[in-house]
Protein backbone atom coordinates (compact mmCIF):
# COMPACT_ATOMS: atom_id res chain seq x y z
CA UNK A 1 0.00 0.00 0.00
CA UNK A 2 1.25 3.44 -0.87
CA UNK A 3 -0.34 6.69 0.21
CA UNK A 4 0.52 10.11 -1.20
CA UNK A 5 -0.90 13.26 0.33
CA UNK A 6 -1.21 16.59 -1.42
CA UNK A 7 -2.96 19.90 -1.04
CA UNK A 8 -1.28 21.35 2.01
CA UNK A 9 -0.12 24.94 2.16
CA UNK A 10 -0.14 28.21 4.01
CA UNK A 11 -3.50 29.93 4.49
CA UNK A 12 -5.10 32.60 6.60
CA UNK A 13 -7.46 31.94 9.49
CA UNK A 14 -10.98 31.47 8.19
CA UNK A 15 -9.85 30.05 4.86
CA UNK A 16 -10.71 26.63 3.49
CA UNK A 17 -8.35 23.97 2.19
CA UNK A 18 -8.80 20.54 0.66
CA UNK A 19 -6.32 17.74 1.16
CA UNK A 20 -6.11 14.68 -1.06
CA UNK A 21 -4.50 11.30 -0.63
CA UNK A 22 -3.88 8.99 -3.55
CA UNK A 23 -4.24 5.39 -2.46
CA UNK A 24 -2.58 2.48 -4.21
CA UNK A 25 -2.29 -1.19 -3.39
CA UNK A 26 -4.79 -3.98 -2.78
CA UNK A 27 -8.30 -2.79 -2.08
CA UNK A 28 -8.67 -5.27 0.77
CA UNK A 29 -5.74 -3.59 2.53
CA UNK A 30 -7.36 -0.15 2.57
CA UNK A 31 -10.77 -0.82 4.06
CA UNK A 32 -10.09 1.81 6.70
CA UNK A 33 -8.67 5.15 5.68
CA UNK A 34 -8.05 8.11 7.89
CA UNK A 35 -6.58 11.54 8.30
CA UNK A 36 -4.36 12.25 11.25
CA UNK A 37 -2.29 15.26 12.20
CA UNK A 38 0.73 15.99 14.28
CA UNK A 39 2.44 19.03 15.68
CA UNK A 40 6.13 18.76 16.63
CA UNK A 41 6.48 17.66 20.21
CA UNK A 42 2.94 16.34 20.43
CA UNK A 43 1.34 12.99 19.78
CA UNK A 44 -0.29 12.26 16.46
CA UNK A 45 -4.03 12.70 16.71
CA UNK A 46 -7.02 11.61 14.70
CA UNK A 47 -8.86 14.01 12.44
CA UNK A 48 -11.32 11.59 10.84
CA UNK A 49 -11.61 8.02 9.59
CA UNK A 50 -13.81 6.38 6.99
CA UNK A 51 -14.65 2.85 5.96
CA UNK A 52 -14.79 1.44 2.44
CA UNK A 53 -18.56 1.89 2.69
CA UNK A 54 -18.34 5.52 3.70
CA UNK A 55 -19.02 5.34 7.43
CA UNK A 56 -16.99 8.03 9.12
CA UNK A 57 -15.83 9.07 12.55
CA UNK A 58 -14.44 12.46 13.47
CA UNK A 59 -12.51 14.02 16.26
CA UNK A 60 -15.30 15.65 18.21
CA UNK A 61 -13.75 19.09 18.05
CA UNK A 62 -13.40 18.98 14.26
CA UNK A 63 -16.59 17.39 12.99
CA UNK A 64 -18.35 20.65 12.22
CA UNK A 65 -15.49 22.10 10.16
CA UNK A 66 -13.86 19.09 8.51
CA UNK A 67 -15.35 16.55 6.11
CA UNK A 68 -13.74 13.28 5.10
CA UNK A 69 -14.71 11.44 1.94
CA UNK A 70 -13.34 8.76 -0.32
CA UNK A 71 -13.77 7.88 -3.97
CA UNK A 72 -13.23 4.14 -4.21
CA UNK A 73 -13.16 4.17 -8.00
CA UNK A 74 -10.51 6.87 -8.27
CA UNK A 75 -8.92 5.66 -5.02
CA UNK A 76 -8.66 9.09 -3.52
CA UNK A 77 -9.23 10.12 0.06
CA UNK A 78 -10.18 13.74 0.63
CA UNK A 79 -10.34 16.04 3.62
CA UNK A 80 -12.28 19.26 3.23
CA UNK A 81 -11.34 21.79 5.86
CA UNK A 82 -13.18 25.03 6.38
CA UNK A 83 -12.90 27.96 8.77
CA UNK A 84 -9.32 27.02 9.50
CA UNK A 85 -7.75 28.19 12.73
CA UNK A 86 -4.11 28.65 13.73
CA UNK A 87 -4.43 25.61 15.98
CA UNK A 88 -5.10 23.51 12.87
CA UNK A 89 -1.49 24.05 11.86
CA UNK A 90 0.11 20.61 11.65
CA UNK A 91 1.48 17.95 9.39
CA UNK A 92 -1.48 16.01 8.04
CA UNK A 93 -1.10 12.33 7.32
CA UNK A 94 -3.18 9.82 5.40
CA UNK A 95 -3.30 6.31 6.84
CA UNK A 96 -4.78 2.97 5.85
CA UNK A 97 -5.44 -0.46 7.25
CA UNK A 98 -7.42 -3.50 6.27
CA UNK A 99 -10.61 -4.47 8.00
CA UNK A 100 -9.37 -6.67 10.78
CA UNK A 101 -9.83 -7.27 14.44
CA UNK A 102 -8.77 -4.25 16.42
CA UNK A 103 -9.55 -1.53 13.90
CA UNK A 104 -13.20 -1.06 14.79
CA UNK A 105 -14.77 1.61 16.94
CA UNK A 106 -18.43 2.32 17.64
CA UNK A 107 -19.40 -0.94 15.98
CA UNK A 108 -18.17 -1.07 12.41
CA UNK A 109 -16.44 2.28 12.02
CA UNK A 110 -12.72 2.69 11.71
CA UNK A 111 -10.81 3.36 14.87
CA UNK A 112 -9.38 6.79 15.57
CA UNK A 113 -6.24 5.53 17.29
CA UNK A 114 -3.26 6.29 15.01
CA UNK A 115 -0.99 3.59 16.40
CA UNK A 116 -3.34 0.93 15.03
CA UNK A 117 -2.84 1.88 11.39
CA UNK A 118 -0.33 -0.06 9.36
CA UNK A 119 0.22 2.16 6.33
CA UNK A 120 1.12 5.84 6.28
CA UNK A 121 1.85 8.57 3.80
CA UNK A 122 4.66 11.09 4.11
CA UNK A 123 2.36 13.92 5.17
CA UNK A 124 1.46 17.35 3.88
CA UNK A 125 2.00 20.51 5.91
CA UNK A 126 -0.87 22.85 6.69
CA UNK A 127 -0.03 26.21 8.18
CA UNK A 128 -2.74 28.62 9.27
CA UNK A 129 -1.81 32.21 10.09
CA UNK A 130 -3.89 34.51 12.23
Amino acid sequence: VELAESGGGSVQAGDSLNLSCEVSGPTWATWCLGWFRQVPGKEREAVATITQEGDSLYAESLKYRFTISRDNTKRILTLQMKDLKPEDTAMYYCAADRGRSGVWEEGSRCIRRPNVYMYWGQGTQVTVSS
Side-chain angles (χ1 to χ4, degrees), residues 21-102:
C21 175
E22 294 186 19
V23 181
S24 60
T27 301
W28 60 264
T30 58
W31 184 267
C32 281
L33 295 175
W35 286 103
F36 299 82
R37 67 185 187 182
Q38 189 169 23
V39 174
K42 293 189 177 181
E43 291 188 356
R44 194 167 295 186
E45 63 177 10
V47 174
T49 64
I50 188 167
T51 69
Q52 177 87 3
E53 298 178 333
D55 294 319
S56 57
L57 275 178
Y58 290 87
E60 285 299 309
S61 63
L62 300 176
K63 65 182 180 181
Y64 297 113
R65 297 190 295 118
F66 290 13
T67 302
I68 191 171
S69 60
R70 64 188 287 174
D71 185 322
N72 293 326
T73 300
K74 295 180 179 179
R75 306 207 71 197
I76 293 177
L77 176 71
T78 300
L79 183 68
Q80 297 176 298
M81 305 183 291
K82 65 179 182 181
D83 190 23
L84 283 162
K85 305 177 185 302
E87 52 263 40
D88 294 319
T89 295
M91 185 71 79
Y92 284 71
Y93 296 92
C94 171
D97 209 314
R98 61 184 174 90
R100 58 181 174 87
S101 176

